[in-house]
Amino acid sequence: MKNNAKISFIVTGALIAAAYAGLTFLCGAFGIAYGPIQLRLSEVLTLLPIFTPAAIPGLTVGCFIANIGSFNALDMIFGTLATLIAAILTYYLRNIRFKGLPLLAMLPPVIINAVVIGFEISWFLLDDGFSLWGFLISGLEIGVSELIVCYAFGIPFYLIIKKYNIFNRNKI
């Protein structure tokens, strides 16, 4: 990478991190960013690895900062790892298209968060400790929330970014 490309990569990642953390904190002010039912609008940004690899570190750092608001060290670790894994998978699935849309690339945040955060909630946050039933319910709640954000909001988000060529893949 040339110096300008490195700087562009770092700045893009930093802007994504700031946007993710800021949107999560905004959702937290309305009580929808943390807990068993999460409608983090910031999760729409998990689609950005489709456009730029700079989104992978950006989302990871942004998620870590955002999860500080959960006041739960385990969420800072496991939630951040879930976002990192989902971002990497999204990046690798970005070129698989159905009718021109990267629908498969939008799925990793849904599945990874449903499993990881569902497990985290059922194991660490429920008073009764881990139970399969608690895991299934928590995973379903998180999965449905992610599905809404990543597809209902994500498809229009993707189309806008693509239409206006916001991320020029040759530069970032």
Side-chain angles (χ1 to χ4, degrees):
M1 266 192 218
K2 295 181 182 177
N3 260 352
N4 288 342
K6 286 181 185 179
I7 291 169
S8 179
F9 185 91
I10 291 168
V11 169
T12 301
L15 289 170
I16 291 169
Y20 185 96
L23 282 170
T24 302
F25 290 141
L26 179 64
C27 290
F30 294 98
I32 57 173
Y34 308 101
I37 297 178
Q38 301 178 6
L39 200 61
R40 286 186 178 188
L41 298 179
S42 53
E43 285 294 303
V44 77
L45 300 177
T46 62
L47 306 182
L48 291 178
I50 294 168
F51 296 99
T52 176
I56 297 170
L59 291 167
T60 304
V61 170
C63 182
F64 179 79
I65 293 167
N67 284 346
I68 291 171
S70 72
F71 301 106
N72 183 331
L74 294 171
D75 192 33
M76 287 186 272
I77 295 166
F78 292 110
T80 301
L81 285 174
T83 297
L84 173 62
I85 293 165
I88 291 168
L89 291 172
T90 297
Y91 177 77
Y92 282 110
L93 295 171
R94 73 190 183 280
N95 292 323
I96 300 171
R97 308 288 169 134
F98 299 95
K99 296 191 178 192
L101 294 173
L103 298 176
L104 191 58
M106 297 175 178
L107 200 54
V110 175
I111 294 172
I112 301 297
N113 280 307
V115 172
V116 173
I117 306 305
F119 180 80
E120 179 187 335
I121 289 170
S122 66
W123 184 266
F124 300 109
L125 301 180
L126 297 179
D127 293 333
D128 299 336
F130 180 79
S131 72
L132 181 59
W133 186 246
F135 167 69
L136 293 174
I137 291 172
S138 296
L140 183 63
E141 290 171 338
I142 295 296
V144 168
S145 300
E146 284 287 319
L147 195 65
I148 290 168
V149 174
C150 288
Y151 284 88
F153 298 128
I155 291 172
F157 178 72
Y158 167 80
L159 292 171
I160 290 168
I161 297 234
K162 184 179 175 191
K163 178 180 180 179
Y164 293 104
N165 197 21
I166 293 171
F167 292 95
N168 183 340
R169 294 178 89 181
N170 295 328
K171 293 184 179 181
I172 301 175

